[in-house]
Amino acid sequence: MKTLVEGYFRLLKLLVVACMAVMVAMVFGNVVLRYAFNSGISVSEELSRWCFVWMVFLGALIALREHAHLGLDTLVRRLPPSGRRLCLVIGHLLMLFVCWLITKGSWAQAVINLNVTAPASGLSMAWFYAAGVVFGVSAGAILLVELVQALRGRYDGAGHDVARATESPLTPATEGRARP
């Protein structure tokens, strides 16, 4: 299971790099064509926007798994362990609710726009909204695993496993990282 999850996140990282490369190539190529040859590629703006949206959602997933998002824990750090765990559980429940909202809304938009084509590329607009579905489901899985670990007392909320033997495949190994 751990190998499968590691492969999934390696794939996500490759997709983020590919989205960035495609965006740079299309935007740079379009700028050169417009200024040098007074022409352009009509589909480049639309596909660049799609790549950007996918890159943001996939990058947010990677950051969620690696605990790289900005966090403020000044108050929580001063609480006793039971208070920290309570805040962690409440925070994860709220984030799971938001993931459900994103997934539900993105799914509804994808279904509504399944037969709607994008103006320049002719691709189904459902692909655009599918980024939210992928994010919501994947982020929900990560958060659910962390929530279960926190309820069992095996996760401290800072991306560190309290019990190394029970490391989850959805959270990366944090060995060698400095505690924040």
Side-chain angles (χ1 to χ4, degrees), residues 85 88-89 145-157:
R85 184 179 299 162
L88 179 68
V89 168
V145 167
E146 289 180 358
L147 178 62
V148 169
Q149 287 178 337
L151 290 172
R152 290 182 177 170
R154 297 179 179 163
Y155 179 71
D156 68 0

Side-chain angles (χ1 to χ4, degrees), residues 54 106 110 125-136:
W54 274 92
S106 296
M125 288 298 292
W127 287 105
F128 183 79
Y129 295 105
V133 176
V134 170
F135 172 81

Side-chain angles (χ1 to χ4, degrees), residues 71-84:
L72 184 63
D73 63 349
T74 307
L75 175 65
V76 174
R77 203 176 325 144
R78 295 176 189 221
L79 294 174
S82 60
R84 283 192 295 255

Side-chain angles (χ1 to χ4, degrees), residues 13 41 49 51 54 59 84 88 93 120 124 134 152 166 171:
K13 289 178 183 181
I41 305 169
R49 186 172 47 253
C51 285
W54 274 92
R84 283 192 295 255
L88 179 68
L93 289 172
S124 172
V134 170
R152 290 182 177 170
T166 60
T171 55

Side-chain angles (χ1 to χ4, degrees), residues 2 5-6 9-10 13 61-68 142-143 145-146 149 154-156 158-164 166-177:
K2 185 175 180 172
V5 172
E6 288 295 325
F9 281 95
R10 238 181 274 121
K13 289 178 183 181
L61 266 177
I62 294 164
L64 177 65
R65 180 173 183 254
E66 295 176 356
H67 303 280
I142 292 168
L143 292 168
V145 167
E146 289 180 358
Q149 287 178 337
R154 297 179 179 163
Y155 179 71
D156 68 0
H160 304 96
D161 289 326
V162 175
R164 298 297 294 157
T166 60
E167 184 175 304
S168 164
L170 293 179
T171 55
T174 55
E175 197 169 294
R177 284 191 193 172

Side-chain angles (χ1 to χ4, degrees), residues 9-172:
F9 281 95
R10 238 181 274 121
L11 174 66
L12 292 183
K13 289 178 183 181
L14 287 172
L15 288 173
V16 167
V17 169
C19 283
M20 179 62 101
V22 168
M23 279 175 46
V24 167
M26 283 193 296
V27 170
F28 179 75
N30 212 24
V31 167
V32 169
L33 285 172
R34 284 187 185 187
Y35 284 106
F37 303 105
N38 202 22
S39 69
I41 305 169
S42 60
V43 75
S44 74
E45 288 181 39
E46 185 176 284
L47 290 182
S48 294
R49 186 172 47 253
W50 284 32
C51 285
F52 181 71
V53 167
W54 274 92
M55 186 176 66
V56 167
F57 276 105
L58 297 180
L61 266 177
I62 294 164
L64 177 65
R65 180 173 183 254
E66 295 176 356
H67 303 280
H69 284 107
L70 187 62
L72 184 63
D73 63 349
T74 307
L75 175 65
V76 174
R77 203 176 325 144
R78 295 176 189 221
L79 294 174
S82 60
R84 283 192 295 255
R85 184 179 299 162
L86 178 65
C87 287
L88 179 68
V89 168
I90 291 170
H92 273 65
L93 289 172
L94 288 171
M95 288 186 287
L96 281 167
F97 177 66
V98 170
C99 285
W100 177 75
L101 290 175
I102 291 172
T103 304
K104 182 181 174 195
S106 296
W107 180 262
Q109 285 298 314
V111 169
I112 290 168
N113 290 292
L114 192 59
N115 295 320
V116 176
T117 58
S121 65
L123 296 171
S124 172
M125 288 298 292
W127 287 105
F128 183 79
Y129 295 105
V133 176
V134 170
F135 172 81
V137 170
S138 298
I142 292 168
L143 292 168
L144 193 59
V145 167
E146 289 180 358
L147 178 62
V148 169
Q149 287 178 337
L151 290 172
R152 290 182 177 170
R154 297 179 179 163
Y155 179 71
D156 68 0
H160 304 96
D161 289 326
V162 175
R164 298 297 294 157
T166 60
E167 184 175 304
S168 164
L170 293 179
T171 55

